Amino acid sequence: MDLDLRKLRYFVAVAEQLNFGRAAEALHIAQPVLSRQIRALETELKVQLFDRSSKGTALTPAGVQLLEDARPLLTQASALLRRVGVADTFTVGFMPGLIVTPAVRQLAARHAGLQVDVLRTTWEDQVEVIHDGRVDVSYVRLPVPLEGLRHVPLFNEPRVAVLSATHRLAGKESVLESELAGERRVQHTDPPGFRSVEEKLEHVAMHGGVAVLPLSTATFYSREDLVHVPIEDIAPNEVALAWAAHRHTPLIAEFIEIAQQV
């Protein structure tokens, strides 16, 4: 039997999220399509991979085993494609709030027939997508683990406090970190963990607290029930372009040059 790597990627997304809706959103596909692909995979393998009930979605023993085997298989498949040099595609990763269109357009305009794709990353996977070959280069927000990577700094940007519009500090022109000392910080590392900027902002809007974000991210996700206030005495966020240290291709070198100029 030939194993469809696309269905395998879909399976891993659902297995990691244990939620078909969130997995579909992360994969940028409709939930019914994702559900059909998972059912098709179960039919092909002749096993049930998920227990679906009113309590939620859980992996079956067969699903646990497949997840354990699928991750290294997908990593190897992606690395293989990169090693043989898929010369007609180039993928750029970027963190929320960053606008990469000008650089992407320049690279595409210089190379007729080159498909230049983009992939939005998160705090959790912005380095992982470089190591596993999903992107050729990625705009990362430092600090990140730099083992096995090369990077060039691009720019710094201020960080702001995102607050409910009714918060006591919402009307201030700026704040000091000391003024936020008693506030609950909403961070991606907090249990149960906020996987996206959208989840952080929903939590602040509903439950209060403060999310500290780069200015461009806060601006990109502006909404009426939230405000962002500059923090005067906090270090700025550093944005860099990163790529795998073992990869040396003309397209990567060219994109680095473009990114530093736009």
Side-chain angles (χ1 to χ4, degrees), residues 63-237:
V64 171
Q65 183 61 57
L66 182 59
L67 180 60
E68 183 179 334
D69 294 335
R71 283 172 169 150
L73 178 60
L74 290 174
T75 298
Q76 291 167 12
S78 181
L80 172 63
L81 291 176
R82 296 299 173 189
R83 284 197 300 270
V84 299
V86 183
D88 59 346
T89 62
F90 189 87
T91 304
V92 178
F94 68 99
M95 285 286 283
L98 299 177
I99 306 299
V100 301
T101 310
V104 167
R105 280 180 175 163
Q106 279 199 38
L107 185 69
R110 294 182 183 185
H111 299 274
L114 177 67
Q115 179 179 327
V116 185
D117 296 325
V118 294
L119 176 70
R120 195 195 76 159
T121 61
T122 69
W123 285 107
E124 293 180 344
D125 68 2
Q126 61 173 332
V127 168
E128 178 183 321
V129 297
I130 303 172
H131 287 305
D132 67 20
R134 276 179 282 170
V135 302
D136 295 279
V137 297
S138 196
Y139 289 77
V140 299
R141 293 192 182 278
L142 301 177
V144 298
L146 292 172
E147 293 82 3
L149 300 181
R150 298 186 66 188
H151 75 288
V152 293
L154 294 178
F155 58 87
N156 295 340
E157 62 171 317
R159 290 194 288 171
V160 299
V162 180
L163 309 159
S164 166
T166 60
H167 193 280
R168 62 183 176 83
L169 298 174
K172 300 198 68 172
E173 291 188 4
S174 64
V175 295
L176 300 173
E177 270 210 278
S178 60
E179 296 178 81
L180 303 173
E183 299 291 337
R184 181 170 43 83
R185 296 287 182 100
V186 178
Q187 304 179 90
H188 69 284
T189 53
D190 291 341
F194 299 95
R195 296 182 178 85
S196 67
V197 174
E198 293 91 340
E199 288 182 358
K200 288 183 186 179
L201 298 184
E202 286 292 337
H203 191 86
V204 171
M206 290 189 297
H207 305 295
V210 56
V212 177
L213 297 176
L215 175 60
S216 64
T217 306
T219 303
F220 187 82
Y221 289 96
S222 293
R223 42 190 285 181
E224 292 183 359
D225 54 351
L226 297 175
V227 299
H228 59 267
V229 182
I231 306 173
E232 292 183 18
D233 56 346
I234 195 171
N237 177 243

